[in-house]
């Protein structure tokens, strides 16, 4: 016990200094939930965390709601201050294209996004295990919890969410 206290396990620093001060980084085997009202940017925060971690670690992001292109478009637009509609319409200036290419290459080999909806926890776990055989995944993000198919779909929603959280 003394060794654990004197030599704490390494954590993954997030891109939010205030969050790091509060939780001392992301701990191995930790489950962190981002919760807020609809439409306030939970997906963007989760993707931003995954994106920043992928600069140095292998990261897996499950999006059960939004497709991969939409997620990445939002991150790129925010990070490079390029209008999202310009990216989505393909109205990109040559200098924007170069910046986007350089940005994507910083995480291209480390961030894996799965955008298959309607998955169960066991399907997520199975995909994660297959990825771990190929690369050392350090963090897994799931967006979003309520869209994971419950093992018992007839149970009340709060019981389904509780069981999904336990399984994760």
């Amino acid at each position: 016990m003394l060794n654990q206290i004197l030599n704490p396990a390494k954590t993954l620093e997030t891109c939010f200094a205030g969050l790091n001060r509060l939780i001392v980084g992301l701990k191995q085997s930790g489950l962190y939930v981002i919760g807020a009202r609809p439409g306030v940017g939970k997906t963007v925060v989760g993707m931003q965390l995954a994106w920043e971690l992928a600069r140095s670690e292998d990261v897996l992001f499950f999006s059960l709601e939004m497709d991969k292109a939409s997620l990445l478009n939002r991150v790129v637009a925010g990070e490079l201050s390029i209008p999202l509609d310009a990216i989505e319409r393909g109205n990109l200036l040559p200098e924007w294209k170069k910046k986007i290419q350089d940005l994507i290459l910083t995480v291209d080999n480390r961030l894996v996004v799965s955008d298959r909806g309607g998955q169960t926890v066991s399907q997520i776990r199975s995909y994660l295990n297959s990825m771990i055989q190929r690369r050392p995944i350090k963090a897994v993000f799931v967006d979003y919890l309520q869209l994971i198919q419950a093992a018992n779909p007839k149970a009340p929603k709060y019981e389904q969410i509780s069981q999904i959280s336990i399984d994760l």
Side-chain angles (χ1 to χ4, degrees), residues 49-64:
L49 285 165
W51 182 271
E52 291 299 323
L53 285 174
R55 291 180 189 271
S56 61
E57 304 290 348
D58 289 335
V59 176
L60 181 54
F61 191 99
F62 289 95
S63 176
L64 304 177

Side-chain angles (χ1 to χ4, degrees), residues 7-166:
N7 302 298
K10 185 176 183 255
T11 62
L12 293 174
E13 294 288 314
T14 73
C15 53
F16 302 113
L19 181 61
N20 291 328
R21 281 192 301 277
L22 287 172
I23 66 170
V24 193
L26 303 174
K27 294 172 184 63
Q28 186 176 357
S29 300
L31 175 67
Y32 303 91
V33 178
I34 300 170
R37 294 184 309 276
V40 297
K42 296 177 294 293
T43 296
V44 173
V45 169
M47 189 60 182
Q48 188 174 9
L49 285 165
W51 182 271
E52 291 299 323
L53 285 174
R55 291 180 189 271
S56 61
E57 304 290 348
D58 289 335
V59 176
L60 181 54
F61 191 99
F62 289 95
S63 176
L64 304 177
E65 178 185 37
M66 204 178 284
D67 65 273
K68 181 178 181 176
S70 297
L71 282 169
L72 294 178
N73 286 348
R74 282 170 172 70
V75 171
V76 167
E79 188 133 340
L80 298 176
S81 299
I82 297 173
L84 180 59
D85 67 320
I87 294 172
E88 290 178 340
R89 295 177 201 272
N91 298 332
L92 296 170
L93 301 173
E95 61 267 20
W96 289 350
K97 288 181 180 181
K98 175 69 173 128
K99 286 181 178 181
I100 290 170
Q101 181 180 356
D102 292 345
L103 180 65
I104 295 292
L105 289 175
T106 63
V107 299
D108 189 44
N109 292 325
R110 294 197 176 272
L111 178 63
V112 177
V113 177
S114 171
D115 59 2
R116 197 174 128 230
Q119 295 187 67
T120 63
V121 172
S122 61
Q123 289 170 320
I124 290 170
R125 188 178 297 127
S126 176
Y127 188 81
L128 172 61
N129 286 334
S130 72
M131 290 301 301
I132 288 173
Q133 299 301 316
R134 291 180 253 157
R135 56 177 67 199
I137 301 294
K138 294 291 184 182
V140 178
F141 292 80
V142 179
D143 181 48
Y144 72 79
L145 197 66
Q146 290 90 337
L147 293 181
I148 295 175
Q149 295 217 349
N152 182 4
K154 293 183 180 181
K157 195 66 174 172
Y158 72 91
E159 286 181 17
Q160 291 178 29
I161 298 300
S162 294
Q163 189 59 55
I164 289 168
S165 298
I166 291 166

